[in-house]
Amino acid sequence: MEKKKGRPRNVATEKAILEASYDLLLEYGFGKVTVEKIAERAKVSKATIYKWWPNKAAVVMDGFLSATMSRLPTPDTGSVIKDIVIQASNLANFLTTTEGKVITELIGEGQFDCKLAEAYRLRYFNPRRLDSRRILEKGMQRGELKKDLDLELCIDLIYGPLFYRLLVTNEKIDEDIIKALVKYAFAGIKA
């Protein structure tokens, strides 16, 4: 989130706001969270929140990211297939937790709230895609993958089925499914 100019943020106040937004998100869901409720829970004014964030979606996404990002580290085992299996498994495991299911709610709400959709694309999904891209680029550099790959399409090929199962079919997502998915995807992109 690009910070506005002026006095620097008070770390304790920012932490209180982020924790309040995250707790409210888990308790009530995005649709029922308001800046007023966040301000009340964090014991700050709405003006303080609006001074640091442009809208509810931005502060809620920051609260979510602050609480959850450390749970999805980028692996680097030296094997592109192992790294993608680990990354996809970590993502699938996270997305099936209570906290991770917030993402499906945000995706649903984002169909009606363009600011929220922009916030989760820019701040949650784009960084995850960049992590995946870096893993695939390393695989290309090591000669494990074809050199002429459309990496964005490869990311869709690998991760699209996870979200399809999560959002559409509600079928299980476990490590066996992840390994099979990666095996099929990599059959077409290995060097």
Side-chain angles (χ1 to χ4, degrees), residues 22-178:
Y22 181 67
D23 291 344
L24 289 166
L25 179 65
L26 290 182
E27 288 173 36
Y28 300 109
F30 180 80
K32 293 184 180 174
V33 174
T34 64
V35 172
E36 292 81 7
K37 287 180 183 177
I38 296 169
E40 182 181 313
R41 173 112 15 135
K43 296 179 175 53
V44 300
S45 70
K46 287 184 351 184
T48 298
I49 293 172
Y50 283 121
K51 180 171 58 173
W52 294 340
W53 290 275
N55 54 49
K56 173 182 94 167
V59 70
V60 169
M61 281 305 302
D62 272 0
F64 179 79
L65 295 173
S66 175
T68 63
M69 290 316 295
S70 65
R71 297 182 187 135
L72 296 171
T74 304
D76 189 2
T77 66
S79 164
V80 68
I81 292 176
K82 286 181 185 175
D83 289 347
I84 291 293
V85 167
I86 291 168
Q87 185 188 42
S89 294
N90 288 344
L91 179 63
N93 290 336
F94 174 70
L95 291 174
T96 57
T97 66
T98 301
E99 292 174 306
K101 289 181 183 184
V102 168
I103 288 294
T104 58
E105 179 190 353
L106 294 174
I107 291 170
E109 289 281 340
Q111 304 311 299
F112 306 101
D113 183 333
C114 63
K115 289 180 182 177
L116 174 61
E118 180 182 356
Y120 68 64
R121 284 184 191 117
L122 289 174
R123 303 172 73 201
Y124 184 80
F125 287 106
N126 287 356
R128 305 288 69 69
R129 287 182 71 86
L130 184 59
D131 290 344
S132 299
R133 183 179 182 82
R134 288 179 179 140
I135 290 170
L136 294 173
E137 286 172 342
K138 286 180 183 178
M140 288 172 71
Q141 291 166 358
R142 291 189 300 253
E144 296 174 84
L145 302 176
K146 295 176 183 177
K147 295 289 183 192
D148 61 344
L149 293 175
D150 178 334
L151 294 181
E152 295 304 312
L153 192 56
C154 291
I155 293 166
D156 292 345
L157 176 68
I158 295 164
Y159 293 94
L162 291 179
F163 284 95
Y164 181 75
R165 282 178 171 256
L166 183 71
L167 297 168
V168 178
T169 67
N170 200 30
E171 293 180 59
K172 75 175 183 170
I173 303 171
D174 61 20
E175 193 162 339
D176 291 335
I177 297 295
I178 302 288

